[in-house]
Structure formats: C-alpha cells, structure tokens
C-alpha cells in the first residue's frame, strides 16, 4: 500500500438523526474519486455509504441509517 497525505479537516454537520438517510460533507486534502467512507457503530456494525467525490478536498457522503 502507498502512503498518502490524506487529511480530514472538518465533518459537517457534527450530528445527525438516527433514522433515514444522513448526508455529511467531509473537507480535507488528497481525497480520490475512489475514496471510501464507513461509520462504525458502537456494537461494531459497519454502515456503508454512498460517496460523491466533488474534488480532492470535498466528499459528500450519504449513510442509510434506517437499514
């Protein structure tokens, strides 16, 4: 694996509801079009996401919290 200079600078909003679809914006550096994002619940359940690559500094991420 290659090392990168990936950095996350902010995640907004800083809280969402616990049902339905939650969309967050992640700002940072060195994102790629094949970036992946997951939420890990307190019980270790992995919540997959749909990632929309805007550019190397912005990802929009949607999580289905109803599943």
């Amino acid at each position: 694996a290659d090392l990168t200079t990936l950095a996350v600078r902010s995640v907004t909003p800083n809280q969402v509801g616990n049902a339905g679809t939650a969309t967050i914006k992640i700002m940072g550096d060195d994102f790629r079009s094949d970036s992946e994002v997951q939420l890990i619940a307190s019980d270790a359940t992995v919540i997959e996401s749909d990632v929309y690559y805007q550019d190397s500094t912005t990802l929009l991420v949607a999580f289905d919290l109803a599943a």
Side-chain angles (χ1 to χ4, degrees):
D2 295 329
L3 295 177
T4 69
T5 57
L6 175 70
V8 174
R9 290 184 278 124
S10 68
V11 177
T12 53
N14 63 0
Q15 64 182 12
V16 296
N18 62 357
T21 300
T23 301
I24 62 171
K25 182 178 187 177
I26 302 173
M27 301 291 297
D29 298 308
D30 229 13
F31 295 138
R32 299 183 339 200
S33 60
D34 62 347
S35 294
E36 296 180 11
V37 179
Q38 298 175 328
L39 283 179
I40 309 297
S42 60
D43 66 357
T45 300
V46 176
I47 302 170
E48 301 293 335
S49 66
D50 291 319
V51 178
Y52 303 95
Y53 172 83
Q54 183 170 327
D55 57 42
S56 65
T57 64
T58 308
L59 297 175
L60 300 172
V61 185
F63 295 98
D64 181 1
L65 302 179

